[in-house]
């Protein structure tokens, strides 16, 4: 029998620039001139805009400047890590997210993003551990369950993968790639009918999903 279709992951998530006061660098004294703080905020804002436009090198340059001015701004590491991830520089991404976690260990998205980078490197155990932490901090993020399900699936733990996809779908019934990936998992288990149902649901939500169309055709079903 043909191999089930490929699974789908998701992308790292950047954080919005906070409105709170920038953390001062203790090595420069207890305070920081307002002009320097304003420069930091400007680079954070510009870096975020560059991320949104896919200008990852420009974003990295902005976050480099923030970190040079104040190495204790966790957001700069988080979003620079996201830019590195988007460029495929997964080791750099992991290093930046790890630094962000050291500065602020209670932000779910940072563990989630580091988990994505570990998964890209094939380190699924570390990825699962980070998704676990992200879910513990925020149990309502559907994509954390979906990507943990992907990691379980890559480890051959198909039932645990399906359980995570179920949870993701319960949280976000319009998450097309959760249905798609659950369909792949069911096909791996030999449950063709459930796989077809999930691929059809994924295609219903996202009619442009060519992978779902291809999987249905491969299973002998007209999309």
């Amino acid at each position: 029998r043909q191999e089930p279709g490929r699974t789908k992951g998701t992308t790292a998530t950047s954080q919005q620039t906070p409105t709170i006061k920038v953390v001062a660098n203790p090595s420069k004294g207890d305070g920081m001139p307002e002009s320097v703080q304003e420069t930091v905020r400007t680079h954070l804002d510009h870096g975020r805009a560059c991320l949104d436009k896919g200008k990852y090198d420009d974003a990295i340059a902005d976050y480099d400047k923030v970190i040079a001015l104040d190495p204790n701004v966790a957001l700069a590491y988080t979003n620079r890590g996201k830019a590195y991830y988007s460029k495929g520089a997964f080791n750099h991404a992991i290093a930046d997210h790890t630094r962000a976690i050291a500065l602020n260990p209670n932000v779910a998205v940072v563990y989630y993003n580091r988990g994505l980078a570990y998964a890209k490197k094939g380190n699924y155990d570390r990825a699962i551990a980070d998704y676990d932490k992200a879910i513990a901090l925020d149990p309502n993020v559907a994509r954390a369950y979906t990507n943990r399900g992907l990691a379980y699936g890559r480890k051959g733990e198909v039932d645990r993968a399906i359980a995570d996809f179920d949870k993701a779908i319960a949280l976000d019934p319009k998450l097309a790639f959760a249905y798609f990936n659950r369909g792949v998992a069911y096909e791996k288990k030999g449950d063709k009918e459930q796989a077809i149902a999930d691929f059809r649901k994924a295609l219903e939500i996202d009619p442009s999903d060519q992978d779902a169309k291809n999987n249905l055709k491969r299973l002998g079903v007209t999309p």
Side-chain angles (χ1 to χ4, degrees):
R1 129 193 190 306
Q2 296 183 60
E3 285 297 313
R6 65 181 178 85
T7 53
K8 298 182 182 182
T10 189
T11 58
T13 303
S14 58
Q15 289 179 273
Q16 297 287 350
T17 304
T19 56
I20 60 173
K21 192 173 184 180
V22 176
V23 177
N25 178 1
S27 66
K28 297 179 181 178
D30 292 335
M32 176 182 288
E34 180 59 34
S35 60
V36 176
Q37 293 189 42
E38 183 60 33
T39 300
V40 167
R41 285 190 288 267
T42 297
H43 285 301
L44 286 172
D45 288 340
H46 188 259
R48 171 64 196 227
C50 289
L51 273 183
D52 290 343
K53 295 176 183 177
K55 297 180 178 180
Y56 303 121
D57 289 328
D58 290 341
I60 289 167
D62 272 311
Y63 295 127
D64 285 347
K65 291 173 182 175
V66 171
I67 291 165
L69 289 167
D70 186 347
N72 293 321
V73 180
L75 180 65
Y77 294 98
T78 298
N79 283 353
R80 189 175 69 176
K82 195 270 184 180
Y84 277 129
Y85 175 92
S86 297
K87 285 170 57 68
F90 304 122
N91 286 333
H92 285 302
I94 289 168
D96 270 352
H97 293 317
T98 300
R99 177 60 179 159
I101 288 167
L103 289 167
N104 185 352
N106 298 310
V107 181
V109 70
V110 186
Y111 292 97
Y112 172 78
N113 285 343
R114 191 173 69 175
L116 294 177
Y118 276 128
K120 285 291 189 180
K121 287 175 60 65
N123 193 337
Y124 300 117
D125 288 329
R126 293 294 296 272
I128 288 167
D130 274 341
Y131 298 140
D132 287 346
K133 184 65 175 178
I135 289 167
L137 288 167
D138 186 350
N140 296 313
V141 179
R143 290 172 184 269
Y145 292 97
T146 302
N147 282 284
R148 190 174 68 178
L150 284 173
Y152 278 132
R154 297 289 171 81
K155 284 168 57 67
E157 299 181 42
V158 180
D159 288 332
R160 297 183 82 171
I162 290 171
D164 270 348
F165 298 141
D166 288 345
K167 180 63 175 178
I169 289 166
L171 287 168
D172 185 356
K174 296 297 185 182
L175 195 58
F177 78 96
Y179 289 99
F180 179 92
N181 289 327
R182 191 174 68 176
V184 171
Y186 274 123
E187 189 179 354
K188 287 180 179 178
K189 283 175 64 70
D191 190 339
K192 179 179 176 180
E193 293 307 312
Q194 185 61 56
I196 289 170
D198 276 342
F199 293 142
R200 279 178 168 162
K201 186 64 177 179
L203 193 58
E204 175 188 323
I205 296 168
D206 181 7
S208 67
D209 190 338
Q210 190 60 48
D211 292 324
K213 292 178 184 178
N214 291 341
N215 282 2
L216 287 169
K217 289 178 181 178
R218 181 172 49 75
L219 291 170
V221 177
T222 301

